[in-house]
Amino acid sequence: MKIIILGPPGSGKGTRAHIISEIFDLPVITTGDMLRGAIREKTEYGLEAKTYMDLGDLVPDDIVNGIVKERMSRPDVVKGFILDGYPRSVNQADALDEILKAKGIKLTHVLSVVLSDEEIIERLSKRRSCPVCNEIYHLVSKPPKKKGVCDKCGAKLILREDDKEDVIRHRLQVYRETTQPLLERYEKQGLIVETDGEVPIEGLRDHLKELLG
Ligand SMILES: [Zn+2]
């Protein structure tokens, strides 16, 4: 099983990747982890990526693509993988096609998490974060024991800048614009499998097993 997971920020992509990984015993490949790994191992692309990240800049596509290529040459991806957070653009999807073609690997599923903008805003704007220990709370589904205070360390909880409604709306707009062409591309290839973003976490394992099994 060779899967890409596509979904807007706050839709539960990472949770799904983690559950699928457990059910089918497959590695989850995320760009963030790959970048950190390449930097730790001081690979050519890793060293290059570090110069951008140290300055707080976005790592350019060609370096990200190079790191994916390095990762895809490891033996653990032969039986399958779950790509989470990559590709993010048509340029990256083209690069991935090349990488997979060179290895004779074919994608089997593109899992698309379907969730309305309103629901995402509802989820993210009710999120509260601890600036000290990074614990995440949700005013409805995971409220702190004492209002506005972190259970773990007692710090005052904050609404992160990028969880504010106008910032979320902007992130969603950017996401929809860059991802729509990817959905169309994979739809043409018959790879899209949709997963309802509102499936409750308790039912997620069975839902994904049925969808992909
Ligand atoms: Zn805390």
Side-chain angles (χ1 to χ4, degrees):
M1 197 176 290
K2 285 97 180 174
I3 309 179
I4 291 173
I5 301 188
L6 294 178
S11 64
K13 245 180 334 151
T15 308
R16 282 169 173 70
H18 184 73
I19 293 173
I20 297 167
S21 156
E22 275 184 3
I23 299 174
F24 299 102
D25 190 24
L26 298 172
V28 179
I29 301 178
T30 71
T31 3
D33 288 347
M34 269 187 295
L35 282 167
R36 281 185 291 273
I39 290 169
R40 202 170 43 236
E41 287 159 30
K42 297 190 168 61
T43 71
E44 184 192 336
Y45 289 114
L47 292 173
E48 227 180 309
K50 191 171 186 300
T51 63
Y52 289 90
M53 289 166 82
D54 284 348
L55 295 171
D57 288 332
L58 268 182
V59 180
D61 268 359
D62 56 340
I63 297 176
V64 177
N65 294 336
I67 287 174
V68 174
K69 193 173 175 181
E70 283 176 344
R71 181 65 184 83
M72 284 291 172
S73 61
R74 303 257 187 88
D76 67 337
V77 302
V78 174
K79 63 171 183 172
F81 53 79
I82 305 155
L83 271 172
D84 174 12
Y86 181 93
R88 270 188 209 278
S89 61
V90 169
N91 178 355
Q92 290 187 354
D94 286 341
L96 179 63
D97 278 355
E98 295 263 314
I99 293 167
L100 295 178
K101 200 174 156 198
K103 302 203 161 295
I105 295 174
K106 280 206 166 88
L107 291 171
T108 58
H109 307 77
V110 175
L111 190 68
S112 167
V113 189
V114 181
L115 198 60
S116 72
D117 285 5
E118 293 318 309
E119 179 62 28
I120 290 167
I121 289 161
E122 164 75 17
R123 282 185 193 183
L124 293 183
S125 63
K126 292 210 164 96
R127 205 151 78 155
R128 294 295 180 272
S129 312
C130 174
V132 176
C133 73
N134 295 319
E135 185 71 6
I136 307 271
Y137 298 87
H138 189 273
L139 296 183
V140 179
S141 61
K142 192 193 169 193
K145 291 195 184 89
K146 193 177 159 206
K147 196 181 170 216
V149 177
C150 179
D151 292 349
K152 290 202 169 160
C153 72
K156 195 167 177 285
L157 299 177
I158 56 162
L159 172 61
R160 272 182 9 190
E161 204 52 47
D162 57 350
D163 286 342
K164 289 188 177 158
E165 182 169 339
D166 51 340
V167 181
I168 300 170
R169 285 198 189 275
H170 178 70
R171 282 164 70 199
L172 285 171
Q173 191 190 345
V174 171
Y175 170 79
R176 304 273 183 218
E177 278 165 16
T178 52
T179 312
Q180 196 52 40
L182 293 183
L183 291 173
E184 285 163 19
R185 176 196 192 106
Y186 293 125
E187 183 69 60
K188 271 185 207 143
Q189 298 175 22
L191 291 172
I192 298 278
V193 177
E194 289 188 343
T195 164
D196 181 350
E198 296 201 47
V199 174
I201 185 121
E202 315 81 62
L204 214 41
R205 196 185 162 88
D206 288 342
H207 164 75
L208 291 168
K209 220 173 179 172
E210 193 177 36
L211 211 55
L212 300 167

